[in-house]
Amino acid sequence: MEDNSLEKKYSKLIAVVSIIIPVAVAVLFLIKLKDFGINVEPLSFLPPIYATTNGITAVVLILAVLAIKNGNQKLHQPLMTFAIVLSAAFLVMYVAYHMTADSTKFGDSNHDGVLDAIESAKVGSLRLVYFVILITHILLSIAIIPLVLITYVRALAQRFDRHRTIAKITFPIWLYVAVTGVVVFLMISPYYAH
């Protein structure tokens, strides 16, 4: 009974957080500090850092799954907590970067903010591949928020049967989001204005 009450206690908070985070990120993504007269240099050093953070998250997730498959719950727990911390750090850096820098267009090799016909022809169908990866990454990064939180709370509540069931869904989606975060960075990085 205690376990169910813990899940119930956090269910509303999970729902609220799962809505607030994507909405806040979307709003903050659209806000540029310079539009408010705050002149800040673009935090152009952040994209490789937050891409690396995504890569480390992927490695930590794999290590955590290997730990639990080998029966090492004591290692699994801190690794999963660390993966959540890394994901939160990524989010903060991602928003900070986008609040200080203009959006980068895939294929904009002369960095003028416009994708002309020549630049578009150079990247060709790779642009479509990029957008498929980017869009699935974004949509699944929204979906992963409640999944991670529910999975984590079920572990805290020691409802390991229910935890395992949702973890089998959460893990591959979270891993996909982490890995595609790196892929998106690698694909867009040649077009960053420096």
Side-chain angles (χ1 to χ4, degrees), residues 9 37 70 72 77-78 82 97 117 131 140 145 149 160 166 170:
K9 177 182 171 185
N70 289 322
N72 192 342
Q77 290 172 338
F82 186 46
Y97 170 73
F131 279 112
L140 290 173
I145 296 167
L149 296 174
F160 297 118
I166 196 163
T170 304

Side-chain angles (χ1 to χ4, degrees), residues 1 19 31 96 98 110 112-113 120 166-168 192:
M1 199 60 137
I19 294 166
I31 292 173
H98 283 285
N110 65 4
D112 66 355
S120 186
I166 196 163
K168 288 178 183 177
Y192 283 130

Side-chain angles (χ1 to χ4, degrees), residues 81-103:
T81 301
F82 186 46
I84 291 171
V85 169
L86 287 169
S87 292
F90 161 81
L91 195 57
V92 169
M93 289 185 282
Y94 179 81
V95 169
Y97 170 73
H98 283 285
M99 288 179 73
T100 63
D102 293 325
S103 292

Side-chain angles (χ1 to χ4, degrees), residues 101-161:
D102 293 325
S103 292
T104 301
K105 292 188 182 340
F106 184 83
D108 181 18
S109 55
N110 65 4
H111 312 293
D112 66 355
V114 178
L115 188 69
D116 62 35
I118 295 168
E119 290 170 324
S120 186
K122 280 183 183 176
V123 293
S125 59
L126 191 57
R127 188 167 163 80
L128 176 62
V129 171
Y130 170 77
F131 279 112
V132 167
I133 294 169
L134 177 64
I135 290 166
T136 58
H137 170 80
I138 291 168
L139 293 176
L140 290 173
S141 70
I142 294 167
I144 200 62
I145 296 167
L147 289 172
V148 167
L149 296 174
I150 291 166
T151 306
Y152 195 73
V153 167
R154 286 183 179 174
L156 288 176
Q158 298 185 1
R159 294 297 309 266
F160 297 118
D161 55 332

Side-chain angles (χ1 to χ4, degrees), residues 1-188:
M1 199 60 137
E2 176 73 30
D3 297 337
N4 279 336
S5 66
L6 187 62
E7 282 186 76
K8 220 175 197 178
K9 177 182 171 185
Y10 285 106
S11 64
K12 287 180 184 168
L13 181 61
I14 290 170
V16 169
V17 168
S18 298
I19 294 166
I20 287 176
I21 290 176
V23 169
V25 169
V27 168
L28 292 172
F29 189 85
L30 297 174
I31 292 173
K32 301 295 182 215
L33 293 178
K34 66 182 179 182
D35 295 341
F36 295 93
I38 302 170
N39 293 323
V40 177
E41 285 294 313
L43 302 174
S44 55
F45 63 92
L46 283 178
I49 295 170
Y50 64 66
T52 301
T53 302
N54 264 328
I56 294 169
T57 302
V59 171
V60 170
L61 288 171
I62 291 167
L63 291 174
V65 167
L66 291 173
I68 202 65
K69 285 188 181 276
N70 289 322
N72 192 342
Q73 188 177 349
K74 287 189 179 198
L75 178 59
H76 176 76
Q77 290 172 338
L79 286 173
M80 292 310 301
T81 301
F82 186 46
I84 291 171
V85 169
L86 287 169
S87 292
F90 161 81
L91 195 57
V92 169
M93 289 185 282
Y94 179 81
V95 169
Y97 170 73
H98 283 285
M99 288 179 73
T100 63
D102 293 325
S103 292
T104 301
K105 292 188 182 340
F106 184 83
D108 181 18
S109 55
N110 65 4
H111 312 293
D112 66 355
V114 178
L115 188 69
D116 62 35
I118 295 168
E119 290 170 324
S120 186
K122 280 183 183 176
V123 293
S125 59
L126 191 57
R127 188 167 163 80
L128 176 62
V129 171
Y130 170 77
F131 279 112
V132 167
I133 294 169
L134 177 64
I135 290 166
T136 58
H137 170 80
I138 291 168
L139 293 176
L140 290 173
S141 70
I142 294 167
I144 200 62
I145 296 167
L147 289 172
V148 167
L149 296 174
I150 291 166
T151 306
Y152 195 73
V153 167
R154 286 183 179 174
L156 288 176
Q158 298 185 1
R159 294 297 309 266
F160 297 118
D161 55 332
R162 293 167 53 85
H163 170 77
R164 273 189 297 276
T165 301
I166 196 163
K168 288 178 183 177
I169 298 165
T170 304
F171 170 72
I173 295 172
W174 196 357
L175 185 62
Y176 178 85
V177 169
V179 170
T180 55
V182 176
V183 172
V184 165
F185 167 75
L186 292 174
M187 292 181 81
I188 196 74

